[in-house]
Amino acid sequence: MAFVQPLVRSSSRLLSIRGVAPACARSMTAPVQHRPEEHPWLSKIKAPASFLPEERVLTFLAANVASGDIPHVARDWMHLPKESHAKGLEVILQAHNLAGFPRTINAMMKVFELGISTEGIKEYQEVQDIDAWAKDGDKTLKTVYGDVATKMRKNFHHLHPLMESIIVEHIYGRMLSRPVVGLRIREMVTLATVSGQDLPIQTLSHIRGCIRCGVTKEEVDSVIDQTGLVWGEKALKQVQAIRDEVWAKGKDKEWAAHKASEK
């Protein structure tokens, strides 16, 4: 299934556009495009060289979508290279998992209003295959959650059988296993999304998930430390405390295994 554009407002008329975005891109005068390196938040939070400016902008975008801050969503979008618009759309689409459809739809409408590069969008044909989603979702869930994934599935099923199906087949299979954005980036934008929503259990889980998906400790620190830019000082202190607790538990066997694999 190709990308389907929502209704977007251009001047005084509404445009309903299907498929990949050429009509939208041509019909609007786009604001000035900036390089990722020019994003003003990059200088506010330290980050290792491995955490590329474009990747950091994607984490800013995810957090601003989740917080409903459309002006900052617009600014983030204008600091994404046009060839990375497909990744940006994936990050916004992914936000519905943790921030809900209304904020996801509002953010999607804003970026289509700003303009989508036809070169930057890779049309992705989705095969409607629940069995494949279930298989991919099980694999991705195990990658993110490690040894506790099987127990989590049982807990989800106990709470409600449909919850297990939705989380495994839809969220981790249909959504997070899509190829446009790798799991390393998906986990970083997930962490940026949950970090300010007073979700300590999920924040802890996705700090660990980041490490399991190849994110470095320094990259996690950067994502955590930018929380205050979107969510405020109270949220920042909360997630820093969670992060510090995780780092203090260096004896944790999964963390130790990860560190050993780096050597």
Side-chain angles (χ1 to χ4, degrees), residues 4-262:
V4 178
Q5 298 184 18
L7 289 174
V8 295
R9 187 174 298 278
S10 174
S11 301
S12 61
R13 69 184 188 279
L14 286 174
L15 301 177
S16 178
I17 308 169
R18 289 187 174 274
V20 183
C24 180
R26 287 195 302 268
S27 68
M28 300 173 187
T29 302
V32 177
Q33 189 78 34
H34 301 279
R35 293 182 297 112
E37 295 83 358
E38 297 173 334
H39 196 293
W41 280 2
L42 294 183
S43 62
K44 294 181 181 292
I45 304 296
K46 292 182 179 179
S50 60
F51 196 1
L52 302 178
E54 176 190 324
E55 296 173 343
R56 296 183 68 189
V57 172
L58 289 173
T59 64
F60 299 154
L61 176 63
N64 283 318
V65 172
S67 70
D69 190 337
I70 296 301
H72 278 130
V73 167
R75 184 178 69 175
D76 298 337
W77 188 257
M78 298 315 299
H79 284 82
L80 269 184
K82 291 182 178 181
E83 61 271 18
S84 296
H85 280 184
K87 292 181 180 179
L89 288 176
E90 283 291 312
V91 166
I92 296 172
L93 184 63
Q94 177 180 327
H96 82 272
N97 298 331
L98 295 165
F101 276 107
R103 290 184 173 181
T104 301
I105 292 169
N106 291 344
M108 197 74 77
M109 290 175 68
K110 170 53 68 173
V111 301
F112 272 88
E113 176 186 317
L114 292 170
I116 308 295
S117 169
T118 54
E119 293 81 9
I121 294 178
K122 300 176 181 178
E123 185 171 359
Y124 181 72
Q125 299 294 335
E126 181 184 65
V127 177
Q128 303 285 322
D129 189 339
I130 294 178
D131 290 337
W133 293 339
K135 181 179 178 180
D136 292 342
D138 182 66
K139 179 179 178 181
T140 299
L141 191 76
K142 288 176 179 176
T143 301
V144 173
Y145 290 98
D147 293 341
V148 302
T150 300
K151 182 179 180 181
M152 286 180 63
R153 291 195 61 161
K154 290 180 180 179
N155 289 341
F156 295 149
H157 187 85
H158 175 73
L159 293 171
H160 196 298
L162 282 180
M163 182 176 289
E164 180 190 10
S165 298
I166 290 168
I167 290 174
V168 176
E169 295 168 8
H170 174 68
I171 296 178
Y172 282 88
R174 187 180 189 183
M175 186 68 250
L176 299 184
S177 298
R178 285 163 62 87
V180 180
V181 176
L183 198 52
R184 170 180 166 271
I185 298 299
R186 288 196 185 275
E187 268 302 285
M188 283 200 279
V189 301
T190 296
L191 181 58
T193 300
V194 301
S195 65
Q197 297 191 66
D198 193 19
L199 299 170
I201 294 174
Q202 287 75 18
T203 297
L204 173 64
S205 295
H206 287 289
I207 289 174
R208 293 179 178 274
C210 280
I211 295 301
R212 295 185 188 112
C213 293
V215 182
T216 69
K217 178 178 178 293
E218 292 74 21
E219 290 169 344
V220 171
D221 284 339
S222 181
V223 175
I224 290 294
D225 290 342
Q226 74 190 35
T227 299
L229 297 174
V230 178
W231 304 99
E233 191 67 21
K234 182 179 179 181
L236 173 62
K237 289 180 178 179
Q238 181 188 51
V239 296
Q240 285 178 330
I242 296 170
R243 183 267 317 272
D244 293 345
E245 181 181 354
V246 174
W247 293 165
K249 292 182 178 179
K251 61 179 181 289
D252 177 86
K253 61 183 181 180
E254 279 197 271
W255 172 255
H258 173 75
K259 295 303 291 182
S261 69
E262 289 184 329

